[in-house]
mmCIF file of all heavy atoms in Angstrom:
data_model
loop_
_atom_site.group_PDB
_atom_site.id
_atom_site.type_symbol
_atom_site.label_atom_id
_atom_site.label_comp_id
_atom_site.label_asym_id
_atom_site.label_seq_id
_atom_site.Cartn_x
_atom_site.Cartn_y
_atom_site.Cartn_z
ATOM 1 N N LYS A 192 1.280 1.612 3.700
ATOM 2 C CA LYS A 192 1.824 2.966 3.721
ATOM 3 C C LYS A 192 3.366 2.988 3.430
ATOM 4 O O LYS A 192 3.838 3.873 2.775
ATOM 5 C CB LYS A 192 1.521 3.671 5.091
ATOM 6 C CG LYS A 192 0.058 4.081 5.235
ATOM 7 C CD LYS A 192 -0.244 4.922 6.376
ATOM 8 C CE LYS A 192 0.412 4.696 7.641
ATOM 9 N NZ LYS A 192 -0.112 5.447 8.812
ATOM 10 N N TYR A 222 4.792 -11.349 4.613
ATOM 11 C CA TYR A 222 4.470 -12.218 3.431
ATOM 12 C C TYR A 222 2.966 -12.441 3.357
ATOM 13 O O TYR A 222 2.446 -12.352 2.221
ATOM 14 C CB TYR A 222 5.167 -13.581 3.625
ATOM 15 C CG TYR A 222 6.645 -13.558 3.281
ATOM 16 C CD1 TYR A 222 7.596 -13.902 4.274
ATOM 17 C CD2 TYR A 222 7.136 -13.138 2.018
ATOM 18 C CE1 TYR A 222 8.952 -13.889 3.977
ATOM 19 C CE2 TYR A 222 8.540 -13.106 1.790
ATOM 20 C CZ TYR A 222 9.382 -13.487 2.735
ATOM 21 O OH TYR A 222 10.722 -13.446 2.511
ATOM 22 N N GLU A 230 -3.924 -10.538 -3.711
ATOM 23 C CA GLU A 230 -5.247 -11.082 -3.908
ATOM 24 C C GLU A 230 -6.330 -10.007 -4.081
ATOM 25 O O GLU A 230 -7.294 -10.143 -4.830
ATOM 26 C CB GLU A 230 -5.677 -12.036 -2.776
ATOM 27 C CG GLU A 230 -4.873 -13.276 -2.743
ATOM 28 C CD GLU A 230 -5.038 -14.114 -1.438
ATOM 29 O OE1 GLU A 230 -5.734 -13.636 -0.441
ATOM 30 O OE2 GLU A 230 -4.484 -15.193 -1.365
ATOM 31 N N LYS A 241 15.516 -8.937 -13.045
ATOM 32 C CA LYS A 241 16.634 -9.854 -13.198
ATOM 33 C C LYS A 241 17.352 -10.056 -11.903
ATOM 34 O O LYS A 241 18.264 -10.895 -11.852
ATOM 35 C CB LYS A 241 17.535 -9.276 -14.250
ATOM 36 C CG LYS A 241 16.898 -9.228 -15.540
ATOM 37 C CD LYS A 241 17.773 -8.653 -16.668
ATOM 38 C CE LYS A 241 17.013 -8.735 -17.959
ATOM 39 N NZ LYS A 241 17.429 -8.111 -19.050
ATOM 40 N N ARG A 245 12.333 -9.010 -5.992
ATOM 41 C CA ARG A 245 11.320 -8.543 -6.921
ATOM 42 C C ARG A 245 10.802 -7.139 -6.471
ATOM 43 O O ARG A 245 10.657 -6.906 -5.311
ATOM 44 C CB ARG A 245 10.103 -9.485 -6.942
ATOM 45 C CG ARG A 245 10.449 -10.836 -7.474
ATOM 46 C CD ARG A 245 9.262 -11.727 -7.479
ATOM 47 N NE ARG A 245 8.835 -11.983 -6.128
ATOM 48 C CZ ARG A 245 7.647 -12.562 -5.770
ATOM 49 N NH1 ARG A 245 6.867 -12.963 -6.748
ATOM 50 N NH2 ARG A 245 7.296 -12.702 -4.553
ATOM 51 N N LYS A 256 -9.135 4.026 -5.580
ATOM 52 C CA LYS A 256 -10.383 3.593 -4.967
ATOM 53 C C LYS A 256 -10.287 3.867 -3.444
ATOM 54 O O LYS A 256 -11.321 4.319 -2.830
ATOM 55 C CB LYS A 256 -10.739 2.169 -5.261
ATOM 56 C CG LYS A 256 -11.228 1.958 -6.660
ATOM 57 C CD LYS A 256 -11.492 0.504 -6.973
ATOM 58 C CE LYS A 256 -11.800 0.344 -8.472
ATOM 59 N NZ LYS A 256 -11.887 -1.054 -8.882
#
Side-chain angles (χ1 to χ4, degrees):
K192 287 191 320 189
Y222 285 119
E230 289 169 355
K241 294 182 178 168
R245 297 180 297 170
K256 285 177 188 172

